[in-house]
Amino acid sequence: MTAGPTTADAVLDVLQAWGVDRVFICPGSTEAAFLDATLRRPDLEVVLTTHESVTVAMADGHARATGRPAVAYLHTHLGLVNGLSHLDAARMARSPVIVLNGLKPASVQSHGGFTTLPGTGELARPFVKRQWQSLTAEGVPEDLTEALRLATAEPTGPVWLGLAQDLMEAPATGPVPDPARHLVAARVAPDPERVSAAARLLTAAQRPVLVAGAEVARHGAHRDLVRLAERTGAVVFNEDRRSFERPAFPTGHPQYAGNYSAAHPAAAGADLVMLLGCRSFIEFEPDPAPATPPGAKVVHTHVDAAEIGRVAAVDVAIVGDESLIVRGLLDRVPDGAGPGPEPATGVPRPWAPGDGDHATAADVAGALAEVIGARTTVVEDATTSAGVLLRTLPQPSPMSILTTASGSLGWGMGAALGVQLAAPDREVIAVVGDGVFQFGPQALWVARRYDLPVLFVVINNRSYAAVAAALRRYGGLAERTRTYPGKDIAGVDIAAVARGFGLPARRVTRPADLPGALKEFLSRREPALIEVLTDPDDLGGAPR
Amino acid sequence: MTAGPTTADAVLDVLQAWGVDRVFICPGSTEAAFLDATLRRPDLEVVLTTHESVTVAMADGHARATGRPAVAYLHTHLGLVNGLSHLDAARMARSPVIVLNGLKPASVQSHGGFTTLPGTGELARPFVKRQWQSLTAEGVPEDLTEALRLATAEPTGPVWLGLAQDLMEAPATGPVPDPARHLVAARVAPDPERVSAAARLLTAAQRPVLVAGAEVARHGAHRDLVRLAERTGAVVFNEDRRSFERPAFPTGHPQYAGNYSAAHPAAAGADLVMLLGCRSFIEFEPDPAPATPPGAKVVHTHVDAAEIGRVAAVDVAIVGDESLIVRGLLDRVPDGAGPGPEPATGVPRPWAPGDGDHATAADVAGALAEVIGARTTVVEDATTSAGVLLRTLPQPSPMSILTTASGSLGWGMGAALGVQLAAPDREVIAVVGDGVFQFGPQALWVARRYDLPVLFVVINNRSYAAVAAALRRYGGLAERTRTYPGKDIAGVDIAAVARGFGLPARRVTRPADLPGALKEFLSRREPALIEVLTDPDDLGGAPR
């Protein structure tokens, strides 16, 4: 190795100048110079992971919880592909995840050597704002600065940068670019005429509906949205079940009506639907029903023009930061402009455990709703159980629930750890299905290694319920004979697997035992797992 | 659903016409029509898996063991990316793996709906011979036939075909193409003049060296290669450690000298090196030493011209099927043309267990060598322990050891199951590292579900030894302080995890206990796991 600072040292200089104090990594031999350099940085934490799906999901969770860039350092194209499904989740959440990808030295790449693939970055292309490989050692600090600039510029999102081993081992040259002069994460104000047009529609509407999208939460506009709702008396939804990634309106508010659906009684009669920072809409299957109530005017706002009017037609499109959009509406809508609030339909009924022997997903949701508090973050990755969880769990703040609209199974296992690391004061509960569990058991290793007190609650119906539900909808021989191939994934003692990874764990079957188990494990403030056996034939309705 | 046969039925017609009687699948909702159709096929086995890395590795293992096409059915782009690292292994082994990829219906794709990605097949491009999406229901049987034709045509390899949900649910139309008229898996004979030139070099050589590549085994030329070796007296190597995927020369043969290296005493003085069906060479790090002995003539044969002379310069290049090449050489080389054989250096010394408390990778290799027989297949995926395993394990046939040169961790966990399913009479042992184990624990679920009697032997040094070895080579602060960041992955009770998946399992620490444990578990003929604790500071030398 070289005597003085290397390019790997310069990479750490750049990261720390940008305030990055943790790097999530699943390393191989190409990362030696980087790992060596971290030994000189007691103020930088190397978070080791044992599978890239966890590396990326952790970085995504960390970025969501902090709003700041998070670095996932992967090894060659093989590590990259293992992380791509959760990079899709980061893309949809617009998380500023920087994927640094260790690559073999130039000559080994040229010779088609071990673990090389020409154009590795092309694999990342669909999931990132930009991807490229540093071509010279002296260009690396500039390239990394550019990656951080791009990831944090609105609309934010992941970026991929390839770093070959020989460049990282080369002597450092040149200065580190000043982050203050390269951080262009500027808010974009909406066109005032469009905001005025939207405000006029909102003032004139008799039955307005507001739909609070994830971008409202990400841009910190959720408190102003409550004011706007109260001023107008509008019925408010969070995003529809498929698009939903986090709450942007408190579900305990009397004007809250649930997750949006055009068929929902509180939406069907609306004369105005305002889709604020929503990804509208993510279809699961072809749906002949209109996505907005017929006859209703539609306003759609988003920081990314490409998201506006993607499926539903729009009367007023507004591009900009949601904090400035909602504030602009508040400035223009007179007090008491709207009708009085509709009776709330979104507040869940209180849950009481049955005395049955077998719990349901609804029992898990009900018991969770009893024990969680304002400082709880539920990271939800439970496929067919997502619906009942969204309906049941109180969501007072944008950090109450985090999920992904990407469908990438296993995301919640790692994302919960990233959230917990970023927000040590929060009580983080990962609620996942048993199928999902098998897409991320390696997260348990990380939880134990870093003693991250995440409680994993696994709803174990021993089924790919989404597959069975699809076979039911299909209505073929499977449904007629009640024989669902591809459904039965019984056979794992998930609590035992968790104990193998060093976590205290318990299997619960009776609904009445749920609140006690949850309270006990939450009070321990250490990584732990509760496996809840539910009915394999409780297929839910929400497919994978 | 439609009343009569669907396109999904037609897909099964095509597969069964081609002799495919198993489909490896990790399904989601888009596979409903396919799964439903399988209920009408008692003679087709749906092999359910719980992670796509296992799906693809199983298909690869199955294809390697049978030489016939194997189908991995994955769910959307998310399932695809999870399978790509092992698809790279299938690509390198030239396994005819057909990846069928369930996609959302056309309108949902167009709308950017749930789990859609435009151009999903582009993600597979680097790993397959061709990738495309069926555009009409009536075109699906033809497309699938084309996929099978391409995968099985030399040089064989994986193919990707996208199948949207709406097409699969549509009524079947049109006939199934006749496989007999679309199977063009023809052997390619080498240029006879080139074979004569090579034969002349071989006849004239004083110190010839033959290197037996994986293609010799795949083309069934290994028995003729023994005759050629004995006729010429040449020293014979299997491929070098990095390129090696399976033995093509019996390691117990007196002329066998080990895995090829230009620096090996039996190679350094050669005047002719014949690289027969080898992928020569896969570099790990830039290596200033020549890949073939200076002054030696080089003959390189391969069915894929692109592989010949990729790193080392070549005097005679021969493109063709190895069975015809080796037979052509036999026809042209006179008996006793060469010198007498060198003393064998490749036969391992007998192993005796020490009386220490801690086993080493060498102990695992030695104990395995004692207990395995001619019907054993060792599926090796043990990174830093690979070298000692290759040196120690007897390899009488091309099925004695299977491994991957791709570096995709976890491959061995699933591949072993595919081999066992394809070859039920074989005794299959997967030898993996603890890091590797965490890249494929879901394979244990499949092993239990289908009662595949694979014995998993996990060499647990609680380390990313390859990372530590790289830090040692790098020679920086880590090496000076003996502090290796990214190395320590202790904390998993692997036997306990295996029991959680329903497998009998045992942790072994003393070398003397190894043979007994291996024999006992092998005699049970059920899936099982032995975790061998080895020294975390036994870093080996073979990096990831």
Short mmCIF file of all heavy atoms in Angstrom, two decimals, chain A residues 54-98:
data_model
loop_
_atom_site.label_atom_id
_atom_site.label_comp_id
_atom_site.label_asym_id
_atom_site.label_seq_id
_atom_site.Cartn_x
_atom_site.Cartn_y
_atom_site.Cartn_z
N VAL A 54 -29.96 -6.67 3.25
CA VAL A 54 -30.01 -5.97 4.53
C VAL A 54 -29.25 -4.65 4.46
O VAL A 54 -29.70 -3.62 4.97
CB VAL A 54 -29.45 -6.87 5.65
CG1 VAL A 54 -29.50 -6.16 6.99
CG2 VAL A 54 -30.22 -8.19 5.72
N THR A 55 -28.10 -4.67 3.80
CA THR A 55 -27.29 -3.44 3.66
C THR A 55 -28.13 -2.31 3.07
O THR A 55 -28.16 -1.20 3.59
CB THR A 55 -26.09 -3.70 2.71
OG1 THR A 55 -25.66 -5.05 2.83
CG2 THR A 55 -24.97 -2.75 2.99
N VAL A 56 -28.79 -2.63 1.97
CA VAL A 56 -29.54 -1.59 1.24
C VAL A 56 -30.80 -1.19 2.00
O VAL A 56 -31.13 0.00 2.10
CB VAL A 56 -29.86 -2.06 -0.19
CG1 VAL A 56 -30.79 -1.08 -0.89
CG2 VAL A 56 -28.58 -2.24 -0.99
N ALA A 57 -31.51 -2.17 2.56
CA ALA A 57 -32.73 -1.83 3.29
C ALA A 57 -32.39 -1.00 4.53
O ALA A 57 -33.14 -0.08 4.88
CB ALA A 57 -33.48 -3.11 3.69
N MET A 58 -31.28 -1.30 5.19
CA MET A 58 -30.87 -0.49 6.34
C MET A 58 -30.58 0.93 5.92
O MET A 58 -30.99 1.89 6.58
CB MET A 58 -29.62 -1.09 7.01
CG MET A 58 -29.90 -2.26 7.92
SD MET A 58 -28.42 -2.71 8.91
CE MET A 58 -28.57 -1.54 10.30
N ALA A 59 -29.84 1.08 4.82
CA ALA A 59 -29.52 2.43 4.35
C ALA A 59 -30.80 3.18 4.01
O ALA A 59 -30.95 4.37 4.33
CB ALA A 59 -28.58 2.35 3.14
N ASP A 60 -31.74 2.49 3.39
CA ASP A 60 -33.01 3.11 3.04
C ASP A 60 -33.75 3.55 4.31
O ASP A 60 -34.24 4.68 4.41
CB ASP A 60 -33.86 2.14 2.23
CG ASP A 60 -35.20 2.71 1.83
OD1 ASP A 60 -35.28 3.94 1.59
OD2 ASP A 60 -36.17 1.95 1.76
N GLY A 61 -33.84 2.66 5.28
CA GLY A 61 -34.52 3.00 6.53
C GLY A 61 -33.85 4.17 7.23
O GLY A 61 -34.52 5.08 7.75
N HIS A 62 -32.52 4.16 7.23
CA HIS A 62 -31.77 5.25 7.86
C HIS A 62 -32.05 6.58 7.15
O HIS A 62 -32.30 7.61 7.80
CB HIS A 62 -30.28 4.91 7.82
CG HIS A 62 -29.44 5.67 8.81
ND1 HIS A 62 -28.93 6.91 8.53
CD2 HIS A 62 -29.02 5.37 10.06
CE1 HIS A 62 -28.23 7.33 9.58
NE2 HIS A 62 -28.27 6.42 10.52
N ALA A 63 -32.03 6.53 5.83
CA ALA A 63 -32.28 7.76 5.06
C ALA A 63 -33.71 8.27 5.29
O ALA A 63 -33.94 9.47 5.39
CB ALA A 63 -32.02 7.52 3.58
N ARG A 64 -34.67 7.35 5.38
CA ARG A 64 -36.05 7.78 5.60
C ARG A 64 -36.20 8.46 6.96
O ARG A 64 -36.93 9.44 7.10
CB ARG A 64 -37.01 6.59 5.54
CG ARG A 64 -37.13 5.98 4.15
CD ARG A 64 -38.30 5.01 4.08
NE ARG A 64 -38.16 4.11 2.94
CZ ARG A 64 -39.16 3.45 2.38
NH1 ARG A 64 -40.39 3.56 2.88
NH2 ARG A 64 -38.96 2.66 1.35
N ALA A 65 -35.51 7.89 7.96
CA ALA A 65 -35.68 8.42 9.31
C ALA A 65 -34.95 9.73 9.52
O ALA A 65 -35.35 10.55 10.34
CB ALA A 65 -35.19 7.38 10.34
N THR A 66 -33.88 9.95 8.76
CA THR A 66 -33.08 11.17 8.97
C THR A 66 -33.32 12.23 7.90
O THR A 66 -33.04 13.41 8.12
CB THR A 66 -31.56 10.86 8.94
OG1 THR A 66 -31.23 10.34 7.64
CG2 THR A 66 -31.20 9.83 10.00
N GLY A 67 -33.76 11.80 6.72
CA GLY A 67 -33.84 12.72 5.60
C GLY A 67 -32.48 13.05 5.00
O GLY A 67 -32.38 13.87 4.10
N ARG A 68 -31.45 12.39 5.51
CA ARG A 68 -30.09 12.68 5.04
C ARG A 68 -29.54 11.50 4.22
O ARG A 68 -30.07 10.39 4.29
CB ARG A 68 -29.19 12.97 6.24
CG ARG A 68 -29.54 14.30 6.91
CD ARG A 68 -28.54 14.70 7.97
NE ARG A 68 -28.68 13.91 9.19
CZ ARG A 68 -27.81 12.99 9.60
NH1 ARG A 68 -26.74 12.73 8.89
NH2 ARG A 68 -28.01 12.31 10.71
N PRO A 69 -28.47 11.73 3.47
CA PRO A 69 -27.92 10.64 2.66
C PRO A 69 -27.40 9.49 3.50
O PRO A 69 -26.89 9.71 4.60
CB PRO A 69 -26.78 11.30 1.87
CG PRO A 69 -26.52 12.61 2.54
CD PRO A 69 -27.77 13.01 3.25
N ALA A 70 -27.57 8.28 2.99
CA ALA A 70 -27.06 7.08 3.64
C ALA A 70 -26.29 6.29 2.60
O ALA A 70 -26.67 6.25 1.43
CB ALA A 70 -28.20 6.25 4.21
N VAL A 71 -25.21 5.66 3.06
CA VAL A 71 -24.31 4.97 2.13
C VAL A 71 -24.40 3.47 2.31
O VAL A 71 -24.27 2.95 3.43
CB VAL A 71 -22.85 5.44 2.35
CG1 VAL A 71 -21.89 4.60 1.50
CG2 VAL A 71 -22.71 6.92 2.00
N ALA A 72 -24.66 2.76 1.21
CA ALA A 72 -24.59 1.29 1.18
C ALA A 72 -23.41 0.91 0.31
O ALA A 72 -23.39 1.23 -0.88
CB ALA A 72 -25.88 0.71 0.62
N TYR A 73 -22.44 0.24 0.92
CA TYR A 73 -21.22 -0.12 0.19
C TYR A 73 -21.30 -1.61 -0.16
O TYR A 73 -21.28 -2.46 0.73
CB TYR A 73 -19.99 0.16 1.05
CG TYR A 73 -18.73 0.50 0.28
CD1 TYR A 73 -17.93 1.58 0.68
CD2 TYR A 73 -18.33 -0.23 -0.83
CE1 TYR A 73 -16.77 1.91 0.00
CE2 TYR A 73 -17.17 0.10 -1.51
CZ TYR A 73 -16.39 1.17 -1.09
OH TYR A 73 -15.25 1.48 -1.77
N LEU A 74 -21.39 -1.92 -1.45
CA LEU A 74 -21.59 -3.30 -1.90
C LEU A 74 -20.36 -3.80 -2.65
O LEU A 74 -19.51 -3.02 -3.07
CB LEU A 74 -22.83 -3.38 -2.80
CG LEU A 74 -24.11 -2.76 -2.22
CD1 LEU A 74 -25.26 -2.91 -3.19
CD2 LEU A 74 -24.45 -3.38 -0.88
N HIS A 75 -20.32 -5.10 -2.82
CA HIS A 75 -19.14 -5.77 -3.39
C HIS A 75 -19.46 -6.32 -4.78
O HIS A 75 -20.22 -7.28 -4.90
CB HIS A 75 -18.71 -6.89 -2.44
CG HIS A 75 -17.62 -7.77 -2.97
ND1 HIS A 75 -16.33 -7.33 -3.16
CD2 HIS A 75 -17.61 -9.07 -3.34
CE1 HIS A 75 -15.59 -8.32 -3.63
NE2 HIS A 75 -16.34 -9.38 -3.75
N THR A 76 -18.89 -5.76 -5.80
CA THR A 76 -18.99 -6.23 -7.19
C THR A 76 -20.45 -6.33 -7.66
O THR A 76 -21.37 -6.00 -6.93
CB THR A 76 -18.28 -7.58 -7.41
OG1 THR A 76 -19.08 -8.66 -6.91
CG2 THR A 76 -16.90 -7.62 -6.76
N HIS A 77 -20.64 -6.78 -8.88
CA HIS A 77 -21.99 -6.87 -9.43
C HIS A 77 -22.83 -7.91 -8.68
O HIS A 77 -24.05 -7.80 -8.65
CB HIS A 77 -21.95 -7.22 -10.92
CG HIS A 77 -21.42 -8.59 -11.24
ND1 HIS A 77 -20.09 -8.92 -11.15
CD2 HIS A 77 -22.05 -9.71 -11.65
CE1 HIS A 77 -19.92 -10.18 -11.48
NE2 HIS A 77 -21.09 -10.70 -11.80
N LEU A 78 -22.16 -8.88 -8.04
CA LEU A 78 -22.92 -9.91 -7.33
C LEU A 78 -23.58 -9.33 -6.08
O LEU A 78 -24.74 -9.63 -5.79
CB LEU A 78 -21.99 -11.06 -6.95
CG LEU A 78 -21.36 -11.76 -8.15
CD1 LEU A 78 -20.21 -12.65 -7.70
CD2 LEU A 78 -22.39 -12.55 -8.93
N GLY A 79 -22.85 -8.49 -5.37
CA GLY A 79 -23.45 -7.82 -4.23
C GLY A 79 -24.51 -6.84 -4.67
O GLY A 79 -25.55 -6.69 -4.02
N LEU A 80 -24.25 -6.19 -5.78
CA LEU A 80 -25.23 -5.21 -6.27
C LEU A 80 -26.58 -5.86 -6.56
O LEU A 80 -27.62 -5.38 -6.09
CB LEU A 80 -24.70 -4.53 -7.54
CG LEU A 80 -25.67 -3.57 -8.22
CD1 LEU A 80 -26.08 -2.42 -7.30
CD2 LEU A 80 -25.08 -3.03 -9.52
N VAL A 81 -26.58 -6.95 -7.33
CA VAL A 81 -27.87 -7.54 -7.69
C VAL A 81 -28.63 -8.02 -6.44
O VAL A 81 -29.85 -7.92 -6.39
CB VAL A 81 -27.75 -8.68 -8.74
CG1 VAL A 81 -27.19 -8.12 -10.04
CG2 VAL A 81 -26.90 -9.84 -8.24
N ASN A 82 -27.88 -8.48 -5.44
CA ASN A 82 -28.56 -8.90 -4.21
C ASN A 82 -29.25 -7.74 -3.50
O ASN A 82 -30.18 -7.96 -2.72
CB ASN A 82 -27.56 -9.54 -3.24
CG ASN A 82 -27.17 -10.94 -3.66
OD1 ASN A 82 -27.86 -11.59 -4.45
ND2 ASN A 82 -26.04 -11.42 -3.14
N GLY A 83 -28.80 -6.52 -3.76
CA GLY A 83 -29.39 -5.36 -3.09
C GLY A 83 -30.43 -4.64 -3.92
O GLY A 83 -31.08 -3.71 -3.44
N LEU A 84 -30.63 -5.05 -5.17
CA LEU A 84 -31.46 -4.25 -6.08
C LEU A 84 -32.94 -4.22 -5.68
O LEU A 84 -33.61 -3.21 -5.90
CB LEU A 84 -31.32 -4.76 -7.52
CG LEU A 84 -30.02 -4.39 -8.24
CD1 LEU A 84 -30.02 -4.95 -9.65
CD2 LEU A 84 -29.81 -2.89 -8.27
N SER A 85 -33.47 -5.32 -5.14
CA SER A 85 -34.91 -5.30 -4.89
C SER A 85 -35.24 -4.23 -3.84
O SER A 85 -36.26 -3.55 -3.95
CB SER A 85 -35.43 -6.68 -4.48
OG SER A 85 -35.04 -7.00 -3.17
N HIS A 86 -34.37 -4.06 -2.87
CA HIS A 86 -34.64 -3.03 -1.86
C HIS A 86 -34.18 -1.65 -2.33
O HIS A 86 -34.65 -0.63 -1.81
CB HIS A 86 -34.02 -3.41 -0.53
CG HIS A 86 -34.57 -4.71 0.00
ND1 HIS A 86 -35.80 -5.20 -0.37
CD2 HIS A 86 -34.05 -5.64 0.84
CE1 HIS A 86 -36.03 -6.36 0.22
NE2 HIS A 86 -34.98 -6.65 0.95
N LEU A 87 -33.28 -1.62 -3.30
CA LEU A 87 -32.96 -0.33 -3.91
C LEU A 87 -34.20 0.21 -4.65
O LEU A 87 -34.39 1.42 -4.75
CB LEU A 87 -31.77 -0.46 -4.88
CG LEU A 87 -31.10 0.83 -5.31
CD1 LEU A 87 -30.57 1.63 -4.11
CD2 LEU A 87 -29.97 0.56 -6.29
N ASP A 88 -35.03 -0.70 -5.12
CA ASP A 88 -36.29 -0.28 -5.73
C ASP A 88 -37.19 0.38 -4.68
O ASP A 88 -37.89 1.36 -4.97
CB ASP A 88 -37.00 -1.50 -6.34
CG ASP A 88 -37.91 -1.10 -7.50
OD1 ASP A 88 -37.68 -0.05 -8.13
OD2 ASP A 88 -38.87 -1.84 -7.78
N ALA A 89 -37.15 -0.15 -3.46
CA ALA A 89 -37.91 0.48 -2.37
C ALA A 89 -37.36 1.87 -2.07
O ALA A 89 -38.12 2.82 -1.87
CB ALA A 89 -37.86 -0.40 -1.11
N ALA A 90 -36.03 2.00 -2.07
CA ALA A 90 -35.42 3.31 -1.82
C ALA A 90 -35.77 4.29 -2.93
O ALA A 90 -36.03 5.47 -2.68
CB ALA A 90 -33.90 3.15 -1.70
N ARG A 91 -35.79 3.80 -4.15
CA ARG A 91 -36.16 4.65 -5.29
C ARG A 91 -37.58 5.19 -5.11
O ARG A 91 -37.83 6.39 -5.28
CB ARG A 91 -36.08 3.83 -6.58
CG ARG A 91 -36.64 4.53 -7.82
CD ARG A 91 -36.64 3.62 -9.04
NE ARG A 91 -37.61 2.54 -8.99
CZ ARG A 91 -38.91 2.67 -9.31
NH1 ARG A 91 -39.39 3.83 -9.71
NH2 ARG A 91 -39.72 1.64 -9.22
N MET A 92 -38.51 4.31 -4.75
CA MET A 92 -39.90 4.75 -4.64
C MET A 92 -40.10 5.72 -3.48
O MET A 92 -40.94 6.61 -3.55
CB MET A 92 -40.82 3.54 -4.51
CG MET A 92 -40.80 2.72 -5.80
SD MET A 92 -42.04 1.41 -5.81
CE MET A 92 -43.53 2.38 -6.02
N ALA A 93 -39.29 5.52 -2.41
CA ALA A 93 -39.40 6.43 -1.26
C ALA A 93 -38.56 7.68 -1.45
O ALA A 93 -38.55 8.55 -0.60
CB ALA A 93 -38.95 5.70 0.01
N ARG A 94 -37.85 7.76 -2.59
CA ARG A 94 -36.96 8.89 -2.87
C ARG A 94 -35.90 9.06 -1.79
O ARG A 94 -35.54 10.17 -1.41
CB ARG A 94 -37.77 10.18 -3.05
CG ARG A 94 -38.79 10.08 -4.13
CD ARG A 94 -39.42 11.38 -4.54
NE ARG A 94 -40.32 11.13 -5.65
CZ ARG A 94 -39.94 11.05 -6.93
NH1 ARG A 94 -38.69 11.23 -7.24
NH2 ARG A 94 -40.82 10.78 -7.88
N SER A 95 -35.40 7.94 -1.31
CA SER A 95 -34.35 7.99 -0.28
C SER A 95 -33.00 8.30 -0.93
O SER A 95 -32.62 7.67 -1.91
CB SER A 95 -34.24 6.64 0.43
OG SER A 95 -35.44 6.33 1.09
N PRO A 96 -32.28 9.25 -0.37
CA PRO A 96 -30.95 9.58 -0.90
C PRO A 96 -29.91 8.54 -0.50
O PRO A 96 -29.04 8.80 0.32
CB PRO A 96 -30.65 10.96 -0.31
CG PRO A 96 -31.47 11.02 0.94
CD PRO A 96 -32.70 10.19 0.70
N VAL A 97 -30.05 7.35 -1.07
CA VAL A 97 -29.11 6.26 -0.77
C VAL A 97 -27.99 6.28 -1.82
O VAL A 97 -28.26 6.22 -3.02
CB VAL A 97 -29.83 4.89 -0.79
CG1 VAL A 97 -28.83 3.74 -0.74
CG2 VAL A 97 -30.82 4.80 0.37
N ILE A 98 -26.77 6.40 -1.35
CA ILE A 98 -25.61 6.34 -2.24
C ILE A 98 -25.11 4.91 -2.23
O ILE A 98 -24.66 4.42 -1.19
CB ILE A 98 -24.46 7.26 -1.74
CG1 ILE A 98 -24.99 8.59 -1.24
CG2 ILE A 98 -23.39 7.40 -2.80
CD1 ILE A 98 -25.54 9.50 -2.26
#
